[in-house]
Amino acid sequence: MGIAVLLSAAALLSTPASYLESQQHADGGFAEPGSRSTPGLTAWAMLALTAADRPTGKAYDYLVTHERELQSATDVELAVIAEAATGRLSEPLHARFTNLARPDGRIGPTINSTAWGVLAHAQIGRPFKVRVS
């Protein structure tokens, strides 16, 4: 019975958040087992850990360092949401996000990027100024 109790206790200690925490690399980023850290996966892990009220370690620093690797509008918007969820948002990333605004109301090139942009604006709570050419 002693081993069964220990196994049950171990199972209770294993949570999705603790699994995510175990996948954080020394560089602060997150990666699938056997892979290198990526900004996108790091942003998702930051959101999940923040939602679980768990620390994100050096994930913010990793994400800021790797912002240049963000390719699409939705990549930028996801990173904005993740950084802002930690209570911080790098100014260069905020500038990239702001520059996604289009005169016709789109944020980025698509409906999807516009939807993500609306979510990012809600997260950061900053007024959005539309660029008018």
Side-chain angles (χ1 to χ4, degrees):
M1 178 135 120
I3 291 179
V5 170
L6 287 176
L7 290 175
S8 294
L12 290 174
L13 294 176
S14 297
T15 66
S18 64
Y19 173 77
L20 284 175
E21 290 169 332
S22 75
Q23 299 309 305
Q24 189 170 32
H25 289 205
D27 64 3
F30 287 81
E32 295 293 348
S35 298
R36 69 175 189 81
S37 300
T38 65
L41 197 54
T42 299
W44 281 114
M46 288 171 67
L47 285 173
L49 290 171
T50 301
D53 201 26
R54 300 288 281 267
T56 60
K58 297 186 298 182
Y60 175 85
D61 296 331
Y62 172 87
L63 196 53
V64 169
T65 301
H66 294 270
E67 288 172 352
R68 287 183 172 179
E69 296 171 32
L70 301 168
Q71 299 295 313
S72 69
T74 54
D75 290 345
V76 169
E77 292 158 337
L78 171 61
V80 166
I81 293 167
E83 285 188 14
T86 69
R88 301 183 284 175
L89 176 60
S90 79
E91 285 305 319
L93 185 62
H94 183 254
R96 280 184 72 184
F97 174 56
T98 301
N99 287 332
L100 293 173
R102 306 281 173 94
D104 65 0
R106 286 179 295 156
I107 302 171
T110 64
I111 291 171
N112 188 44
S113 63
T114 302
W116 276 98
V118 169
L119 294 170
H121 279 294
Q123 181 66 40
I124 63 176
R126 290 189 188 178
F128 191 75
K129 297 177 181 167
V130 176
R131 282 184 321 186
V132 178
S133 303

